[in-house]
Amino acid sequence: MATDSRTVGVLGAGTMGIGIAIVVLRAGHALVWRDLSNDQLEQGVDAVRAFLDRSVSLGKLPEEAASAALSRIETTTDLEALGSCDVVIEAIFEDTALKAKTFGELDDICREDTLFHTNTSTLSATAIAAGSRLPGRVVGTHYCNPAPLMKLVEVVRARQTSDDAYHRTLEFIDSLKKVSVTTADAPGFIVNRFLVPFENDCIRALAAGLGTIESIDAITAKALGNPMGTFRLLDIVGLDIHKAVSMSLYEQLRDPRFAPPPLVDQMIAAGDLGRKTGRGFYEYERERAFGSGTASAVGR
Amino acid sequence: MNILLIGETRRAAEIAALAAASGVRVTLAAEEGNASDEFQARAHGTLAALVAAELFRDNDLDDAKALIQVGSGTTEPAAVVEACPENLAQKLEALRTAEARNPRVPFVTTTSVLSVGEIAASAASPGLVVGLSFPGAAHTNPVVERVAGRQTDPRSLSAASDLAKVLGKEVVDVIDRPGFLAQRLLVPYLNDVVTCLDEGLATPEDLDVALELGLGYPNGALMVLDEIGLDVHLERCDALYAQLGDAHFAAPALLRRMVDAGELGAVSGRGFRIGVNKEEQA
């Protein structure tokens, strides 16, 4: 175990909470994991165990390390249990007021030097920090999904973040063996700020008949070198999630590039949310594009 | 196969190197002199880069170099390929040169941002004009966009595919709208990153690292711009903004200032990332 191991609180046992819990445990830290629901926590621990077991069977983690990691988990539904934490990372529902209120409650529970990290992808770290009476300790840390596999963490300096909290946050991210980049507290930070409007541009190009699902994916994946075509990626993300992120950024930035195009609403209305419903831009049973226009590229 | 090449841009040198590496004889339509010597040196340099990237065998290098000639070709080319700077006047001058030398041969414009139909409108035989747009570096990017103007005849379209196949490219058919697909999608994204850099969102290095590790892009946007050339990107912005009137295509002020200062990226040795040390970035 690392000599500088800390006690880390994680709030929320959803997808991001589970991913962050794995990252924290793998780095040798002790985990106090809080969710409102015991069932959710049980499922979370099962997911962590399954992930660690797979790492062992792939030879990426010694068996003792996996069982030691599991023994460092303490689950609770009680916020009071986070009193001993050096760092608290919240990965709860994307709602500014809820996140802000939670940090306010933690003010009465945690030491004054406890770092409060908010894992938000589209909300303002500044607005969330405002919920704490010691807002200087609040720092945004945006983990990319899936957190155990993605190396990047966007560190967001809220307007109130103190230099001390910022520097201790960089050290903590380093202890997780992640690469941090520092961004201003601007909507979407870096990754979503540039990805989401690009995706919407691709959808608008499709709707305008500038290309087909296949030709636009060929250009984005092969010509521009992205790891996969934009429409394949959107099908994995889910059109409902894409719409929510787009709307959040559009409302903050008021730039039409961020607005989800009408085709997104149509697809959601038809239940074509992507891989999770079996059909989005592609049909997964038959492995072909769905609803791609037959617009000819010749002579238009 | 042999082609007549018009233009002495970096793009033209990439095409000459790619063609020669593919066994195609390239004749540069120019007078022999300093400019054409420089062009040949650049094309030879690009060939050497292909060898270094293990995309081409070393022992064929001299054969390939010999395929690139300057002046008048002896046989009729399969196509005339123009790779002039991205402004209509120079494209039309290339068209005149082609018509004077080979009036019945398909004229392939490699424009990324101008209209194939608009170039065709000035041609004696508009049906001969067709587009092959290289979305990245012509010698390494696996894809080429084939552009049909409204006037393009089927024979010219198949001549363009034949050439693309000999050059080893996957052809993606696109319609004649500003920026086709690749630049239409790429330019607003690159401009947005430059604008956010100017507004202090993050350092150049952190912006690129986030895009590389967060999205899996092989290079961050600022390194991409350094490689494209800031002057080349500026030319694209100006052409696309003029046609689309959409502010997302307008060149960001920072880009223009850097071009004014001669900071063009890899070609000048200084850009957003290249030639800039960490202290300067912070």
Side-chain angles (χ1 to χ4, degrees):
Chain A
M1 194 194 292
T3 49
D4 67 341
S5 91
R6 280 162 252 200
T7 302
V8 179
V10 170
L11 306 181
T15 308
M16 287 312 297
I18 291 167
I20 294 167
I22 293 166
V23 171
V24 164
L25 291 166
R26 230 171 24 188
H29 301 308
L31 171 68
V32 183
W33 201 356
R34 191 257 186 175
D35 196 284
L36 294 172
S37 143
N38 266 318
D39 284 354
Q40 192 76 31
L41 283 166
E42 267 174 47
Q43 286 173 27
V45 173
D46 286 346
V48 170
R49 185 181 298 116
F51 184 92
L52 295 177
D53 284 350
R54 202 162 53 245
S55 300
V56 170
S57 65
L58 290 170
K60 289 181 176 173
L61 191 71
E63 202 161 345
E64 314 82 71
S67 52
L70 287 167
S71 73
R72 289 196 301 273
I73 305 178
E74 177 193 335
T75 59
T76 179
T77 55
D78 185 4
L79 212 52
E80 300 280 340
L82 292 148
S84 63
C85 290
D86 302 302
V87 183
V88 177
I89 306 167
E90 74 73 17
I92 60 178
F93 190 69
E94 281 279 79
D95 178 284
T96 304
L98 182 66
K99 287 174 189 270
K101 178 174 154 277
T102 305
F103 282 154
E105 288 165 12
L106 285 169
D107 280 338
D108 297 329
I109 295 165
C110 297
R111 297 189 312 268
E112 290 202 351
D113 66 351
T114 299
L115 289 171
F116 288 178
H117 285 172
T118 171
N119 173 62
T120 179
S121 53
T122 55
L123 302 176
S124 159
T126 299
I128 294 165
S132 170
R133 288 191 304 281
L134 297 169
R137 63 157 102 187
V138 179
V139 186
T141 55
H142 176 221
Y143 293 76
C144 295
N145 188 25
L149 306 181
M150 302 289 283
K151 278 217 136 1
L152 183 74
V153 176
E154 292 179 306
V155 173
V156 186
R157 290 194 76 151
R159 202 176 155 80
Q160 309 94 323
T161 303
S162 71
D163 285 347
D164 172 63
Y166 167 65
H167 289 295
R168 285 196 290 136
T169 297
L170 293 185
E171 284 167 31
F172 176 69
I173 300 298
D174 205 42
S175 81
L176 302 178
K177 298 183 183 64
K178 298 284 182 194
V179 175
S180 60
V181 295
T182 301
T183 125
D185 185 20
F189 313 127
I190 301 175
V191 171
N192 283 310
R193 173 73 177 75
F194 299 119
L195 174 64
V196 171
F198 181 84
E199 291 173 328
N200 284 332
D201 280 349
C202 290
I203 299 169
R204 273 186 288 270
L206 175 69
L210 297 180
T212 61
I213 290 166
E214 294 92 337
S215 69
I216 293 170
D217 268 2
I219 290 295
T220 51
K222 294 173 189 165
L224 304 184
N226 299 353
M228 69 176 81
T230 301
F231 296 125
R232 291 223 173 259
L233 176 62
L234 281 165
D235 275 358
I236 291 171
V237 170
L239 273 293
D240 50 343
I241 303 291
H242 173 73
K243 183 183 173 180
V245 174
S246 293
M247 280 309 294
S248 169
L249 293 176
Y250 176 62
E251 280 161 7
Q252 295 174 79
L253 291 159
R254 299 176 187 91
D255 174 340
R257 270 187 86 219
F258 291 86
L263 178 57
V264 173
D265 287 322
Q266 259 185 34
M267 291 176 68
I268 292 172
D272 294 342
L273 303 184
R275 272 193 178 274
K276 61 188 169 190
T277 61
R279 191 165 81 185
F281 290 100
Y282 293 90
E283 269 190 297
Y284 288 91
E285 210 167 290
R286 282 184 265 183
E287 232 346 280
R288 65 172 192 190
F290 178 75
S292 182
T294 49
S296 162
V298 177
R300 266 179 69 201
Chain B
M1 188 185 273
N2 67 96
I3 59 171
L4 180 72
L5 182 63
I6 304 176
E8 286 155 42
T9 57
R10 257 185 300 142
R11 169 56 43 89
E14 289 166 8
I15 292 170
L18 169 67
S22 312
V24 175
R25 183 174 295 280
V26 182
T27 305
L28 180 74
E31 303 289 319
E32 288 196 43
N34 286 342
S36 68
D37 287 350
E38 229 171 82
F39 174 84
Q40 273 197 320
R42 216 179 300 155
H44 291 172
T46 308
L47 270 171
L50 282 173
V51 173
E54 294 181 359
L55 292 168
F56 189 59
R57 286 201 312 281
D58 201 5
N59 54 354
D60 298 338
L61 188 58
D62 287 334
D63 294 344
K65 281 181 180 173
L67 286 173
I68 304 172
Q69 299 168 333
V70 175
S72 48
T74 45
T75 50
E76 176 128 301
V80 179
V81 178
E82 76 75 22
C84 297
E86 293 280 17
N87 68 72
L88 190 63
Q90 296 199 55
K91 300 297 190 193
L92 296 185
E93 203 183 305
L95 181 64
R96 299 282 162 264
T97 304
E99 287 174 338
R101 291 177 65 142
N102 302 102
R104 274 178 288 277
V105 171
F107 178 81
V108 177
T109 171
T110 62
T111 185
S112 303
V113 288
L114 300 175
S115 159
V116 171
E118 193 175 1
I119 296 168
S122 295
S125 307
L128 288 177
V129 179
V130 59
L132 278 184
S133 176
F134 297 88
H139 58 298
T140 52
N141 197 286
V143 172
V144 70
E145 295 177 310
R146 184 178 71 157
V147 194
R150 293 177 78 89
Q151 310 97 318
T152 306
D153 70 34
R155 199 174 59 91
S156 308
L157 269 177
S158 41
S161 308
D162 292 347
L163 175 59
K165 274 178 207 138
V166 171
L167 299 179
K169 300 297 180 190
E170 176 176 337
V171 174
V172 174
D173 280 318
V174 296
I175 62 173
D176 187 20
R177 296 294 181 275
F180 314 125
L181 278 176
Q183 301 308 323
R184 179 78 166 240
L185 296 170
L186 185 62
V187 168
Y189 154 70
L190 295 176
N191 285 349
D192 201 19
V193 176
V194 174
T195 301
C196 286
L197 169 68
D198 203 16
E199 291 171 354
L201 179 63
T203 63
E205 189 183 2
D206 276 2
L207 284 168
D208 272 7
V209 168
L211 293 165
E212 288 158 18
L213 296 182
L215 299 177
Y217 294 172
N219 280 307
L222 299 172
M223 188 56 91
V224 168
L225 281 164
D226 277 357
E227 281 169 4
I228 290 171
L230 274 56
D231 51 340
V232 170
H233 181 71
L234 178 61
E235 207 175 56
R236 290 176 181 172
C237 291
D238 287 345
L240 290 175
Y241 181 59
Q243 295 169 81
L244 294 163
D246 176 339
H248 298 104
F249 292 87
L254 173 61
L255 178 85
R256 216 175 270 283
R257 293 295 90 77
M258 289 176 72
V259 172
D260 287 342
E263 295 170 33
L264 309 181
V267 274
S268 75
R270 190 179 168 90
F272 288 107
R273 302 283 312 283
I274 290 172
V276 182
N277 62 40
K278 278 198 176 188
E279 288 74 54
E280 281 181 280
Q281 289 199 4

